[in-house]
Amino acid sequence: MYQRPVVDADEIEVRVRWRRPQRSSCVAVMLVVAVLATGGLITSAAFNTVDRSGMRDAGRLMDRYADDLSAGVSDRAAHYGDILHVLAAAVGAQSSLFSDDYARLTAGLESARLPGVAGISFVVPATTAQLGTVQQNWRARGATGLMLRPAPGKAEHAFVIFDRAFGGNAVVPGLDVTHIPQLDNALRRAWQGHTLAVSSAFHLVRDQKLPEQLRQSSIVFAEPIYTTQGSALPDRFAGWIVMSVRGQDFLSQILLDRGQGAIQASVTESDENGAVLTAVRPGQRAQQGSLTRHRTLFIGQRRWQITMWPTTRLLESTDRGMSWLTLAAGAVLTLLLAALTGILAGSRSRALRKVDQATAALRRDIAQREHVEARLREREQQLQHLAFHDPLTGLANRALFYDRLTHALTARPERLVGLLFIDLDGFKQVNDELGHHAGDTVLRAVADRLRVALRAGDTITRFGGDEFAIILDGLATAAEARTTAERVIADVQVPIDVAGTQARVSASIGIAISRAGAAADDLVRDADTAMYVAKSNGKNRYVEAGLLT
């Protein structure tokens, strides 16, 4: 007969005591593992959420820079095109153009205000049968010693007659530019389209004496010239005004200025060659392919592509760093909770103390995070202010200017809107004689005077360099714009103290008044053209666009 073994009570107590800590240890380990797994999942999700938010912020910032750079390149190209258009119209208005006339018409153009421009040439067409007549005609008009050198194998030619060089080698008159395919193509497109045309990239003839490593990819702007023979006759094609532009000098500074050192950018041609016109590489490029931006511009019947890459500086200005802070905070918090769980399994009192410590640490972490978020919001506001204001004077920049001008023209079309486009006379002399620091002092002083002289609701903008613009919204009559221009001229010409030296500048102002259907670009173009007329007529004065003939 089977008998159950007799177990001593002391042995049972020993077994119970041995198994209880074993079970407690297993439960503690399981709780710690569960806390670590849960905390890891939550931390990973928080990291991904904050990182995506940072990427969205960086993407919005890249979009803003991309739009600003595109606008800057378009404005620069449009500005050069407007200059050529005005010059072509002036040449076409001459009943008989002589070399002295051409020198006078181009005398007001300064290389300092036309970055990258190597020269401006007057080019005329001729067939092989017309060579003798054309050569004799232009010799009689001041092109002394002109010798036309036709390109072989061509029946139609385009000869340089007059050339204005900017700080470099001039093109020898008589050169037939049809032997340069890029330039010949641009001339033909300008003639056929009756408008501005831009060439593809090539090396300028005037740069052939430079070492190979110093030659830049260059382009030309070609504007057709038409002359009026009489009121009853149609306009006659008379040639081209050709502006030679070195690509890197043309756009590099504006890319650096608009990009504020936070992005790298290049401007290339959108064709099979894809020649690089200019490129800037500030800082260190960030390896974030999704933040690369592309913009396509149509300039002079050609397509240019602007490619922009973020730098580490741009990423540092966003809240992407918060993702790593969140990861670190989450990992620390997870470890703390795991430790607290282990302590709770062994000691209630110590567990309660650890809970209190963890709660305090959590509160500090939340307070620190709120502090960081507040600083990020402040930084975002600062970036927004920088994006719409000039850093030197604190005035509105181009982006804010166009936004307010467009709103003023469209919100209440029945109201008169005036635009004053201001260029400082004598500012280059202040920079040359007293230095750029003195020039900055003058610009800030002029900005302060404009703030005092104008109404609170008027928008004052620094366009860049020594150019300013003022939006006068809600004018009763156009005479108010002229009165304001007179007040600005009087205030600007008061001497400015620069470290004990009296700096003197004056203002040339172009006035444009809104008209039915006018857009912001129309008003800016009219005011800019009027300003150039004011400068040509002796400076320190204003000219109203509506009074131009």
Side-chain angles (χ1 to χ4, degrees):
M1 181 178 178
Y2 174 75
Q3 293 182 351
R4 296 180 60 186
V6 178
V7 179
D8 188 78
D10 293 336
E11 183 180 352
I12 294 175
E13 185 177 356
V14 169
R15 290 181 181 178
V16 171
R17 289 178 179 177
W18 180 76
R19 290 175 182 174
R20 187 182 298 139
Q22 257 196 337
R23 289 195 297 270
S24 300
S25 177
C26 291
V27 171
V29 170
M30 292 175 61
L31 287 174
V32 169
V33 170
V35 169
L36 289 173
T38 304
L41 291 175
I42 294 174
T43 300
S44 177
F47 171 80
N48 292 331
T49 300
V50 176
D51 189 63
R52 285 194 296 270
S53 175
M55 285 293 290
R56 286 195 296 270
D57 291 342
R60 286 192 289 267
L61 192 56
M62 280 297 297
D63 289 335
R64 188 183 307 162
Y65 276 123
D67 293 340
D68 200 25
L69 262 66
S70 301
V73 172
S74 296
D75 291 345
R76 175 64 59 83
H79 177 56
Y80 283 20
D82 290 341
I83 291 175
L84 280 190
H85 182 74
V86 172
L87 186 56
V91 170
Q94 303 293 315
S95 59
S96 182
L97 182 69
F98 287 81
S99 61
D100 291 343
D101 297 325
Y102 187 76
R104 175 177 52 81
L105 291 173
T106 59
L109 302 177
E110 301 176 0
S111 59
R113 298 191 56 198
L114 297 171
V117 175
I120 298 179
S121 306
F122 171 59
V123 179
V124 300
T127 63
T128 302
Q130 297 172 333
L131 292 180
T133 302
V134 171
Q135 179 172 282
Q136 182 178 0
N137 177 50
W138 288 108
R139 282 183 177 180
R141 297 189 187 184
T144 306
L146 176 66
M147 181 64 67
L148 301 183
R149 301 185 301 281
K154 292 183 177 290
E156 297 181 346
H157 311 276
F159 297 103
V160 176
I161 303 300
F162 302 128
D163 181 68
R164 162 76 188 284
F166 289 84
N169 299 320
V171 174
V172 177
L175 175 69
D176 184 1
V177 297
T178 58
H179 77 285
I180 305 172
Q182 298 88 342
L183 182 50
D184 183 42
N185 180 265
L187 296 180
R188 290 183 180 276
R189 286 188 291 109
W191 169 64
Q192 293 170 353
H194 307 286
T195 188
L196 176 75
V198 175
S199 75
S200 57
F202 67 103
H203 288 161
L204 298 177
V205 173
R206 66 180 77 237
D207 288 347
Q208 289 180 352
K209 294 182 180 180
L210 295 175
E212 181 68 26
Q213 63 273 18
L214 296 181
R215 298 180 190 174
Q216 300 183 23
S217 292
S218 304
I219 55 175
V220 296
F221 288 68
E223 177 76 20
I225 303 172
Y226 296 91
T227 61
T228 304
Q229 302 300 311
S231 59
L233 297 176
D235 291 349
R236 179 178 63 85
F237 175 69
W240 302 267
I241 292 293
V242 175
M243 177 185 287
S244 305
V245 180
R246 299 184 180 100
Q248 185 69 14
D249 297 339
F250 174 44
L251 294 173
S252 60
Q253 192 58 48
I254 198 168
L255 293 180
L256 289 172
D257 291 343
R258 294 296 182 94
Q260 300 178 354
I263 64 172
Q264 298 182 357
S266 69
V267 180
T268 59
E269 297 183 318
S270 298
D271 57 19
E272 64 279 1
N273 295 325
V276 178
L277 298 179
T278 187
V280 293
R281 299 286 188 268
Q284 180 180 355
R285 183 182 299 181
Q287 301 303 318
Q288 299 289 341
S290 62
L291 295 179
T292 301
R293 295 293 184 266
H294 303 277
R295 294 290 187 274
T296 300
L297 304 178
F298 290 89
I299 308 293
Q301 305 181 51
R302 291 192 64 81
R303 287 194 306 168
W304 291 354
Q305 178 167 290
I306 306 179
T307 305
M308 290 144 285
W309 302 271
T311 65
T312 53
R313 176 179 174 183
L314 179 137
L315 296 184
E316 291 169 357
S317 68
T318 65
D319 62 355
R320 291 203 68 238
M322 280 295 297
S323 59
W324 297 105
L325 180 61
T326 302
L327 182 63
V332 171
L333 186 59
T334 299
L335 292 175
L336 286 175
L337 291 175
L340 288 172
T341 302
I343 292 172
L344 280 172
S347 172
R348 175 181 172 81
S349 60
R350 283 186 296 171
L352 290 175
R353 287 197 301 269
K354 292 296 182 181
V355 168
D356 293 338
Q357 294 172 2
T359 302
L362 181 60
R363 288 174 179 172
R364 288 194 301 270
D365 183 68
I366 292 174
Q368 181 182 4
R369 183 170 180 176
E370 290 175 349
H371 177 67
V372 171
E373 290 176 347
R375 291 186 61 187
L376 288 174
R377 287 193 295 270
E378 181 181 353
R379 173 63 68 86
E380 185 176 357
Q381 292 173 355
Q382 292 173 352
L383 288 175
Q384 186 173 7
H385 183 272
L386 288 175
F388 293 98
H389 291 82
D390 174 55
L392 177 63
T393 63
L395 298 177
N397 64 10
R398 287 173 180 260
L400 184 56
F401 166 83
Y402 274 101
D403 180 75
R404 291 188 176 177
L405 181 57
T406 302
H407 180 269
L409 293 173
T410 57
R412 298 181 64 180
E414 73 280 3
R415 296 178 59 175
L416 278 181
V417 177
L419 176 61
L420 273 58
F421 204 91
I422 305 169
D423 186 272
L424 299 184
D425 310 316
F427 180 76
K428 182 177 182 298
Q429 183 178 359
V430 172
N431 266 343
D432 292 343
E433 295 179 359
L434 302 179
H436 291 284
H437 176 72
D440 290 346
T441 300
V442 169
L443 291 175
R444 285 192 289 265
V446 170
D448 291 339
R449 292 178 182 181
L450 293 179
R451 289 190 185 96
V452 173
L454 299 174
R455 302 174 301 179
D458 296 334
T459 298
I460 312 169
T461 303
R462 183 189 175 205
F463 258 54
D466 58 344
E467 292 183 337
F468 297 81
I470 300 171
I471 303 173
L472 303 175
D473 191 8
L475 294 177
T477 64
E480 290 186 21
R482 294 190 287 271
T483 302
T484 302
E486 293 171 354
R487 186 165 61 252
V488 169
I489 290 173
D491 290 345
V492 169
Q493 66 184 354
V494 175
I496 299 171
D497 182 79
V498 180
T501 301
Q502 297 296 309
R504 297 177 180 273
V505 294
S506 59
S508 293
I509 302 177
I511 302 174
I513 304 299
S514 61
R515 59 185 184 277
D521 287 335
D522 299 327
L523 216 59
V524 170
R525 182 173 56 253
D526 292 345
D528 186 55
T529 301
M531 182 273 291
Y532 274 103
V533 174
K535 261 187 142 27
S536 300
N537 289 344
K539 305 178 181 179
N540 196 28
R541 66 192 61 213
Y542 68 85
V543 170
E544 187 173 347
L547 303 180
L548 295 177
T549 58

